Amino acid sequence: MTGLRGAQWHARIECGGRVSGAGFLVARDKVLTCAHVIEDGDVAPVTVTFPQRPDEAPVAARVVAHGGWDGRMSELGDLAVLELDREPGIVPAPLAPADVPHDDRRLMAYGFPAGYDEDGTIAECRTVTELLLSDEWIQLETWSGHGQPLAVGFSGAAVTLVETGQVIGMVTAAAGAHGVRTGRMMPTRVLARYWPGLSALVPQPHGMRQPEHRFVPDSEPVTPVPGHPDGPRLRALVERAARAGLDCDPMRLYSAAAGSYDPLPPREGFGSLWSAAWFVLCEVDDPDTVTRFADRLDALLTAPPRAETGAILIELGHSGAGEDLVRVEVSAYNAGRRHPVPAETVPKSLLRTCIQDRIEDAFCHLTPGADELIAFALPRDWLDWPVDRWEKGPDDDTPLGCVHPVVVTDHARRRTSTRHVLTSAWKRLDSRTGARVHRVACGGVEDPRKLRLALVQSEECLAGFGATSDAARTRPHFETSLTAPAPVIVWSRRGCDPDRADCTGASDCPGTAFLDALDTLVSHVPPAQLPRQVLNLRQLADAEEEHWARDIQLLWDDPRRFTDPHATAVHRRSPVA
C-alpha cells in the first residue's frame, strides 16, 4: 500500500497500557486523536507509539486541547490534542488543502481494531458526498463489500487520499451495527474549528495548485502554491498576532472586512483569530475580502498600544414591586468581557449601601491599575441624582466621584440603535484634541428643533446647560440633547436659580459663569479624557465650597467602553464515538 510508505506519523494510542485507538502526528510534538479515545486519560497514563518506527519507544503524552465532547455518542467536539513528552523526530502528516475534492475517491485509514492492536490494519473507504452531517461529520463507507471495515480501534485515525497520502480528516465513529459498513469522519476544516493551531498547518485553499497524484515521502513535504497573493501574508500576520498576544475581536474584524455578498459569520462566532482567518480563506470567494482582512489586522498590529481600560456599569431602575424599591444591576467590563454581578431589588434607604457592596464586587473583575470608569445608567427623571457625592464605602465617606471617574447616562440610550449612532460619533471624536460646547442658555431661548440640528451637524460635541436638568424652561432642550443623541452633556445640579424665569444668561447669572468655565476647561481636553478631567475638578471642588464645578454632572456616553464581545464564543461542545 503506497499510502503507508514513509508515513511514520501514524500513531497508536494507549490508556493505562490498553490500546484505545489511533492518532496522527500533526506537529513535531502534537498528536490528534478523538476525545473518546483518551476519555480515561485523567486517571490512566496516556502513551503514544508509532508502529512504523518499531524501534521507537512509547512516548508519554498529555491532553493540551479538547473539543468539548461530553461523553455522549451523538455529541460534537470529539477531538483531543496530545502533547508528547519528547519529540519523536518524525515528519508530521501532510495535510491536504481544505478544499481538495474527495467525493468517491479512494481513501484509507490505519487503525487498531481487535486482533490487530499491535501492528494495526488498513480500512479502505470513500465519501459519497461532502455534505456535513450536523455541520460536523462526513459519512464514510467501505470501498468495497469485502475487506476490513471501519470498527472500534479506528477512532482517531487519519483519513488519507490513497493517491497522495495527504490527510483530509479523522475517523470519529464506526456504524457499530452488524453488516453496516459505514463510519464518520471529521474533516480538517472542522478539526480546525476546535483547535485553532491546526488552521496554521492546513494548506491554504482558493486556487491552490494540488500536488501530483503520487505519494510524497517524509523528506519531500507538500508545499502548495497559493492562488491568492495575500494568503501567505494573512497567515504570517495571524502568527505574528498570536506571538504578540494581540487582543482583538475576530467577529468585528471579519464584519469590517466582509463585502456585501460575503457569507455571514457562524452563529456561534469565531473561537479565535485563526478561526476567523480560516473562515476568510475557506468560505469567502471574494479575494478582496482576504486583502481587507489582512490590511485591518496589519493596522491593529502596527497601532500604538492603548492603555488598558475597565469600566463598571450600574443600572438603576424603577421596580414594579413598589415606588420605594429600586432595581440594581451592576456589571464589570474588562478586556472586552462583561462580568455581571448578581442583581437585586432594594429599598431606597439601602440603595447606597447596596451599590457600595456591588462596586467592590465588580472591581474584582478589573485588571489592577487599569484606567477605570464608573457609569450610572439612570431613568430620565433620576439623571440629576448626585451619585458622584455618594460615599465611597461604609467606613469611608469620601465622595465616590472624588476617587473614581463617575459619569451618568440615560437608561433609554441603552437601545441598540442609539448605541450605533453614538459609536459612530465617538469614532469621529477620537481624533479631536479638545471639545467645543454648544451652550444652552438658562432662558432656553433656542428652538429645540434647531438645537437638534446643531448637535447633529455642527462641530460641537458637547451640550452645556446653565440651568439644572429639571428646569422647566430648558427641559425640552435637555430632552432634545438626550435623544439627538449628544455624546456628552454637562450641567450643574446647582445651576441657575429656577425661580428666575426671566433669566437670559446675563453676566451675573451662575449658569453663565458655569458655561464660561466649562468652555475654558474642555477646549484643550480630548472628549475621551473628560471623565478623568472631571474627577480632578471634583477633587478640587471638594475642598472649595464655592468652586464652580462642585455640583457638576457629566453625562458621558461612549458605548465602546460597555460593548460585549461577539465571539470568543466556543463552538457547540460535543463529538461522536
Side-chain angles (χ1 to χ4, degrees):
M1 176 68 63
T2 58
L4 279 183
R5 192 171 66 238
Q8 299 177 346
W9 42 264
H10 289 288
R12 182 179 67 234
I13 311 298
E14 298 182 18
C15 278
R18 178 182 60 85
V19 175
S20 54
F24 55 104
L25 189 74
V26 292
R28 291 182 301 177
D29 63 345
K30 299 291 190 303
V31 169
L32 286 191
T33 188
C34 291
H36 75 264
V37 168
I38 47 88
E39 61 181 330
D40 297 328
D42 55 344
V43 295
V46 177
T47 58
V48 177
T49 305
F50 298 94
Q52 300 303 302
R53 291 273 290 265
D55 296 333
E56 185 81 26
V59 184
R62 61 188 181 91
V63 180
V64 293
H66 196 282
W69 180 66
D70 66 2
R72 291 180 291 171
M73 300 291 284
S74 60
E75 282 301 302
L76 311 177
D78 192 6
L79 166 72
V81 182
L82 303 178
E83 184 175 81
L84 305 178
D85 279 1
R86 59 177 173 81
E87 295 181 9
I90 297 173
V91 175
L95 304 180
D99 59 349
V100 66
H102 49 74
D103 255 12
D104 208 27
R105 292 177 68 177
R106 196 175 180 189
L107 309 173
M108 60 158 278
Y110 180 32
F112 304 89
Y116 297 95
D117 52 0
E118 185 66 29
D119 297 323
T121 189
I122 294 168
E124 291 185 293
C125 52
R126 62 184 170 190
T127 60
V128 178
T129 176
E130 296 188 22
L131 173 69
L132 282 179
L133 304 174
S134 298
D135 197 36
E136 179 101 350
W137 310 293
I138 290 177
Q139 184 168 315
L140 298 172
E141 64 178 31
T142 55
W143 181 256
S144 64
H146 55 275
Q148 173 67 53
L150 293 172
V152 174
F154 277 90
S155 294
V159 179
T160 62
L161 294 164
V162 170
E163 304 101 319
T164 67
Q166 292 177 302
V167 177
I168 64 169
M170 179 178 74
V171 176
T172 56
H178 180 71
V180 180
R181 304 170 70 85
T182 62
R184 285 179 172 177
M185 170 186 77
M186 190 185 295
T188 53
R189 67 178 184 274
V190 176
L191 294 172
R193 291 183 195 166
Y194 294 109
W195 185 45
L198 193 65
S199 303
L201 305 174
V202 181
Q204 179 191 341
H206 283 312
M208 286 269 193
R209 185 189 71 195
Q210 302 303 323
E212 298 175 3
H213 283 189
R214 60 181 178 84
F215 174 70
V216 183
D218 293 336
S219 60
E220 188 184 346
V222 176
T223 307
V225 179
H228 189 284
D230 274 323
R233 174 181 170 231
L234 177 55
R235 283 178 175 245
L237 287 170
V238 174
E239 291 171 355
R240 178 180 162 197
R243 290 194 300 269
L246 178 68
D247 182 16
C248 72
D249 183 346
M251 181 72 83
R252 188 174 299 168
L253 191 62
Y254 174 72
S255 298
S260 303
Y261 300 102
D262 286 337
L264 294 175
R267 286 180 300 175
E268 67 273 19
F270 298 115
S272 66
L273 183 57
W274 266 122
S275 297
W278 185 244
F279 185 85
V280 170
L281 292 173
C282 293
E283 305 294 339
V284 177
D285 293 328
D286 185 358
D288 290 341
T289 302
V290 181
T291 300
R292 288 192 296 267
F293 191 95
D295 287 345
R296 290 179 181 276
L297 180 56
D298 195 6
L300 289 175
L301 286 166
T302 55
R306 299 176 62 180
E308 188 167 359
T309 60
I312 297 173
L313 178 65
I314 304 167
E315 299 182 79
L316 305 182
H318 297 281
S319 171
E323 292 185 1
D324 186 51
L325 298 176
V326 180
R327 177 71 174 171
V328 181
E329 296 183 55
V330 179
S331 301
Y333 291 79
N334 188 47
R337 292 184 177 273
R338 174 178 177 263
H339 304 273
V341 177
E344 62 179 307
T345 300
V346 298
K348 287 185 178 178
S349 59
L350 299 178
L351 179 60
R352 297 190 187 186
T353 301
C354 172
I355 289 177
Q356 290 167 355
D357 292 341
R358 291 296 174 267
I359 288 177
E360 286 301 314
D361 292 341
F363 262 103
C364 294
H365 297 289
L366 301 188
T367 302
D371 185 14
E372 84 284 7
L373 175 75
I374 297 178
F376 286 80
L378 306 170
R380 195 159 293 181
D381 55 334
W382 293 356
L383 282 175
D384 226 25
W385 278 13
V387 292
D388 61 288
R389 301 295 301 174
W390 291 357
E391 297 84 357
K392 179 183 181 294
D395 54 355
D396 184 353
D397 61 358
T398 306
L400 184 65
C402 292
V403 181
H404 308 290
V406 174
V407 302
V408 300
T409 186
D410 179 13
H411 198 280
R413 294 182 15 150
R414 302 288 299 161
R415 297 189 183 97
T416 304
S417 57
T418 306
R419 314 309 284 165
H420 178 82
V421 175
L422 282 169
T423 300
S424 298
W426 276 100
K427 286 180 178 178
R428 294 193 299 270
L429 295 180
D430 282 342
S431 61
R432 301 287 293 273
T433 57
R436 293 179 58 186
V437 179
H438 187 97
R439 300 166 65 112
V440 179
C442 308
V445 295
E446 186 177 13
D447 187 325
R449 292 171 299 180
K450 293 183 178 180
L451 173 60
R452 177 183 298 278
L453 184 64
L455 290 173
V456 171
Q457 294 185 347
S458 72
E459 290 294 315
E460 290 126 338
C461 65
L462 188 157
F465 284 78
T468 59
S469 65
D470 59 354
R473 57 187 179 273
T474 56
R475 187 65 188 180
H477 304 77
F478 190 74
E479 298 272 354
T480 297
S481 300
L482 287 173
T483 58
V488 184
I489 307 175
V490 185
W491 68 98
S492 170
R493 294 187 298 269
R494 185 161 32 180
C496 179
D497 184 354
D499 296 328
R500 292 185 58 181
D502 59 340
C503 180
T504 58
S507 58
D508 63 339
C509 167
T512 299
F514 175 82
L515 290 177
D516 288 344
L518 181 65
D519 244 335
T520 302
L521 167 74
V522 304
S523 61
H524 64 279
V525 177
Q529 297 179 16
L530 279 174
R532 183 65 59 176
Q533 190 66 31
V534 169
L535 165 64
N536 297 336
L537 278 176
R538 285 170 173 157
Q539 292 170 339
L540 290 173
D542 189 53
E544 300 178 26
E545 185 65 31
E546 297 304 318
H547 194 284
W548 69 272
R550 181 171 181 79
D551 293 295
I552 191 171
Q553 194 80 330
L554 173 63
L555 190 151
W556 185 93
D557 209 345
D558 185 351
R560 298 171 300 180
R561 292 294 291 266
F562 305 100
T563 301
D564 294 333
H566 296 285
T568 52
V570 182
H571 295 272
R572 293 172 299 169
R573 298 299 192 183
S574 44
V576 306

